């Protein structure tokens, strides 16, 4: 038996008739950018996130970038961001012209360590980007409390956490604004690139609507210098179909995670994911830690089990940032982030993986550790 890391064909088969009819509806409409489907999706996704507003955009990176632009965060400003995240969280800051200030994670949750945030704040700090890594919400009360005290904005990077809950509240409305990605492999995935911003602030939503569409509300009336970061009708129509399945598929991911957690148990070498009492993660990834990670990955590969590493090169060690001016004044090394990157391994998890497949993965894994 071979187990792929992720199977994107099964979700299509499960929803084939709905997705195909969404495709036909849009094709027949003759209207392909910013129309009824985008508006309907925005209403449905805002409601799903318990947020007042949703603005569909072109992808997750641009969702974060436009939030920073709308907040007028740029040159001379600093933004605090986890050291261990997908590089897009950093790139959004750099593209806005602001300085990246990375902070190390909590060793158990892998999310930004609130105890280390205060040390990284300077007179130039404007915002904190909290990433809900691997689908588990960051400790938002602690982060918001620090932000309030220092008059900072809090932005959620919710690209991996559609539907996750923090103290019974959905991510997407826990800060001033949230950026989502609908990259096909995410829990809510489009059939191509797509993203969204959610917020409870009318003014911010309005500004992002302008920014995503050349700075104009009315065609050829350009109020500000904007971008082309629109969500198209086809993707919005597909996302509406997928959104109707999101809770069911997230529940299935939870069952898979429980099967892993019940079958594998922490031993001195293997560290399983840790979930704080207040977190309801949506298990975008199931990440274990093992000192001899490369050898384990190789053995699993030889047994037909595909795994991935999220992420093998932390942004500070990437070619894009290792000599970047942003890291000069700060410690250029992030020991915990770097050691995590050498030990973490993502096991297959998805709504469509079978119990038998998980059973086989855990048996093979146990035989190697
Ligand atoms: C996927 C992802 C993004 C970027 O989303 P795109 O749609 O690929 O631009 C940003 N942040 C995190 C944490 C992600 O996982």
């Amino acid at each position: 038996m071979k187990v792929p890391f992720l199977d994107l064909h099964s979700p299509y088969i499960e929803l084939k008739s709905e997705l195909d009819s969404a495709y036909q509806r849009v094709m027949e409409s003759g209207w392909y950018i910013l129309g009824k489907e985008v508006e309907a999706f925005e209403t449905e996704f805002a409601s799903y996130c318990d947020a007042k507003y949703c603005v569909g955009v072109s992808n997750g990176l641009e969702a974060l970038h436009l939030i920073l632009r709308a907040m007028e965060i740029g040159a001379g400003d600093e933004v605090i961001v986890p050291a261990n995240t997908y590089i897009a969280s950093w790139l959004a800051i750099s593209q806005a012209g602001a300085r990246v200030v990375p902070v190390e994670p909590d060793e158990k949750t892998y999310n930004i360590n609130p105890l280390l945030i205060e040390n990284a704040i300077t007179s130039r700090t404007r915002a904190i980007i909290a990433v809900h890594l691997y689908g588990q919400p960051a400790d938002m009360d602690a982060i918001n409390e620090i932000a309030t005290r220092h008059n900072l904005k809090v932005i959620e990077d919710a690209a991996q956490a559609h539907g996750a809950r923090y103290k019974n509240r959905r991510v997407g409305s826990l800060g001033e604004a949230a950026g989502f990605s609908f990259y096909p492999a995410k829990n809510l995935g489009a059939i191509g690139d797509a993203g969204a911003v959610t917020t409870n602030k009318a003014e911010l939503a309005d500004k992002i609507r302008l920014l995503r569409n050349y700075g104009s509300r009315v065609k050829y009336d350009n109020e500000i210098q904007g971008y082309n970061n629109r969500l198209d009708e086809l993707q919005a129509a597909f996302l509406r179909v997928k959104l109707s399945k999101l809770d069911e598929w997230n529940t299935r991911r939870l069952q898979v995670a429980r099967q892993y957690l019940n079958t594998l148990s922490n031993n001195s070498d293997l560290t399983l994911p840790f979930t704080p009492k207040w977190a309801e993660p949506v298990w975008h990834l199931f990440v274990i830690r093992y000192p001899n990670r490369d050898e384990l990955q190789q053995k699993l590969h030889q047994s037909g089990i595909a795994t991935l590493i999220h992420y093998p090169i932390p942004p500070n060690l990437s070619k894009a940032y290792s000599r970047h001016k942003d890291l000069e004044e700060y410690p250029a090394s992030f020991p915990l982030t770097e050691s995590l990157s050498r030990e973490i391994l993502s096991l297959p998890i998805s709504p469509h993986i079978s119990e038998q497949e998980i059973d086989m993965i855990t048996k093979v894994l146990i035989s190697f550790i």
Side-chain angles (χ1 to χ4, degrees), residues 164-184:
R165 284 193 173 92
Y166 172 79
K167 300 185 180 170
N168 289 320
R169 284 146 55 212
R170 277 259 159 89
V171 306
S173 53
L174 304 174
E176 201 136 321
F180 285 89
S181 163
F182 307 122
Y183 180 77

Side-chain angles (χ1 to χ4, degrees), residues 172-307:
S173 53
L174 304 174
E176 201 136 321
F180 285 89
S181 163
F182 307 122
Y183 180 77
K186 310 283 179 172
N187 290 35
L188 177 59
I191 317 296
D193 277 311
V197 173
T198 56
T199 179
N200 287 328
K201 302 239 147 129
E203 222 177 293
L204 196 71
D206 190 55
K207 187 89 178 278
I208 287 166
R209 273 179 216 288
L210 281 181
L211 285 169
R212 76 169 169 186
N213 190 30
Y214 295 118
S216 80
R217 226 177 291 261
V218 176
K219 205 165 188 172
Y220 306 130
D221 177 10
N222 300 89
E223 301 173 35
I224 53 175
Q225 293 182 11
Y227 304 87
N228 178 354
N229 285 139
R230 299 173 298 224
L231 175 62
D232 68 66
E233 288 283 284
L234 258 184
Q235 295 307 337
F238 292 143
L239 284 166
R240 294 179 66 196
V241 174
K242 294 278 206 76
L243 181 59
S244 70
K245 278 276 166 178
L246 181 56
D247 280 339
E248 189 185 321
W249 286 357
N250 278 344
T251 302
R252 179 65 199 131
R253 285 175 183 272
L254 173 62
Q255 288 164 350
V256 173
R258 287 202 175 127
Q259 194 184 340
Y260 274 132
L261 292 167
N262 291 338
T263 329
L264 302 168
S265 48
N266 276 309
N267 71 22
S268 50
D269 285 334
L270 181 73
T271 308
L272 295 171
F274 168 79
T275 305
K277 275 202 269 322
W278 39 257
E280 288 174 62
V282 288
W283 298 100
H284 175 58
L285 296 169
F286 190 93
V287 178
I288 60 170
R289 228 176 127 181
Y290 192 71
N292 244 334
R293 189 268 318 274
D294 290 342
E295 199 187 320
L296 180 62
Q297 183 176 37
Q298 191 55 32
K299 285 177 174 166
L300 290 169
H301 174 73
Q302 283 156 3
S303 310
I305 299 162
T307 58

Side-chain angles (χ1 to χ4, degrees), residues 59-61 64 85-86 88-89 131 157 159-160 181 183 186 194 311:
N59 57 62
L61 169 60
L64 295 169
T85 179
Y86 182 52
S89 322
V131 181
D157 179 342
Q160 304 189 352
S181 163
Y183 180 77
K186 310 283 179 172
Y311 296 91

Side-chain angles (χ1 to χ4, degrees), residues 69-82:
R69 291 281 179 189
M71 291 174 170
E72 294 177 6
I73 293 173
D77 297 329
E78 295 181 354
V79 178
I80 290 171
V81 66

Side-chain angles (χ1 to χ4, degrees), residues 12 110 121 125 158 164 169 188 204 247 294 298 309 328 340:
Y12 171 54
Y110 310 139
I121 295 175
T125 311
R169 284 146 55 212
L188 177 59
L204 196 71
D247 280 339
D294 290 342
Q298 191 55 32
I309 298 160
E328 276 167 14
L340 284 173

